[in-house]
């Protein structure tokens, strides 16, 4: 007999009648997602989805490449790509397998026990500048496993879900490009210019 999973609930921390409480109820009712906290309301990761986090600049480049993703959120200078639950645990191994392991990347994952800021859902009242927003919002009443990137061939996807390996590879590539395009602080220069020293 399998253990009974409690139904999703709205945030116990949000004051009744507040915008956070209303948003928490919408997340629970329309998506079955659990929330916590207030100002800002948080989505709990690890049960239904995990989140790959990367610089917004790199994330926009991933989206321009046309790589299939699930829902995508933007919070300040960071972009979050929702992936199937368990994806956060797969990230280090995937980066090693894709030969990105030794490269310093600004790519991380939020998995079991984590939290990310909950953006307003479409149709919600206006939000404050700089708050989290959905770039690609989740679709109500759609099974998450059918739209969240997962490892293909391992029974964790709905068959047509985006491929986690391709998404991680694209994200790592764009994070590396962003890193290389930024000037390095503390680089040794010649003659007081920004030109790095060349050695032969």
């Amino acid at each position: 007999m399998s253990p009974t999973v409690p139904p999703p609930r709205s945030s116990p921390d949000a004051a009744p009648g507040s915008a956070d409480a209303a948003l928490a109820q919408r997340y629970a009712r329309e998506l079955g997602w659990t929330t916590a906290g207030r100002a800002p309301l948080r989505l709990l990761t690890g049960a239904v989805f995990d989140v790959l986090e990367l610089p917004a600049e790199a994330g926009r480049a991933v989206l321009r490449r046309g790589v299939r993703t699930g829902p995508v959120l933007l919070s300040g200078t960071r972009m979050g790509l929702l992936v199937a639950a368990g994806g956060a645990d797969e990230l280090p191994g995937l980066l090693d397998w894709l030969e990105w392991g030794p490269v310093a990347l600004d790519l991380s994952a939020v998995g079991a026990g984590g939290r990310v800021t909950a953006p307003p859902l479409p149709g919600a009242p206006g939000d404050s500048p700089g708050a989290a927003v959905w770039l690609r919002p989740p679709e109500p009443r759609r099974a998450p496993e059918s739209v969240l990137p997962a490892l293909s061939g391992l029974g964790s996807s709905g068959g047509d879900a985006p491929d986690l390996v391709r998404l991680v590879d694209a994200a790592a590539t764009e994070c590396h490009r962003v890193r290389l395009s930024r000037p390095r602080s503390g680089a040794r220069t010649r003659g007081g210019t920004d030109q790095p020293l060349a050695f032969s």
Side-chain angles (χ1 to χ4, degrees):
M1 184 181 226
S2 61
T4 305
V5 177
R9 57 187 174 78
S10 60
S11 172
D13 303 328
S18 70
D20 281 339
L23 182 58
Q25 289 171 355
R26 281 194 65 196
Y27 270 111
R29 183 178 65 246
E30 296 174 21
L31 297 166
W33 293 1
T34 304
T35 58
R38 58 179 170 177
L41 188 69
R42 303 283 182 162
L43 295 172
L44 306 184
T45 57
V48 178
F49 60 86
D50 288 349
V51 179
L52 296 182
E53 288 191 336
L54 66 166
E57 182 181 352
R60 287 188 186 96
V62 170
L63 299 181
R64 283 194 301 271
R65 290 177 96 179
V67 177
R68 290 182 64 208
T69 72
V72 177
L73 62 87
L74 180 66
S75 183
T77 61
R78 304 289 291 174
M79 188 174 289
L81 309 171
L82 272 63
V83 299
D89 294 336
E90 300 293 344
L91 182 62
L94 283 176
L95 289 173
D96 283 341
W97 184 72
L98 292 164
E99 300 183 356
W100 285 108
V103 181
L105 299 170
D106 191 5
L107 176 63
S108 60
V110 184
R115 298 175 181 208
V116 294
T117 302
L121 289 167
D127 53 326
S128 59
V133 295
W134 284 112
L135 298 180
R136 293 184 179 172
E139 297 179 35
R141 292 172 290 281
R142 186 154 181 198
E145 60 273 7
S146 68
V147 295
L148 294 175
L151 288 175
S152 58
L154 299 180
S156 58
S157 71
D160 191 36
D163 184 36
L164 182 62
V165 175
R166 286 192 175 100
L167 181 60
V168 167
D169 193 35
T173 299
E174 297 305 336
C175 284
H176 188 54
R177 284 185 180 156
V178 166
R179 179 175 170 263
L180 292 177
S181 70
R182 292 184 177 149
R184 293 183 186 164
S185 60
R188 296 194 332 176
T189 59
R190 177 178 49 204
T193 67
D194 289 331
Q195 171 97 21
L197 286 172
F199 297 95
S200 53

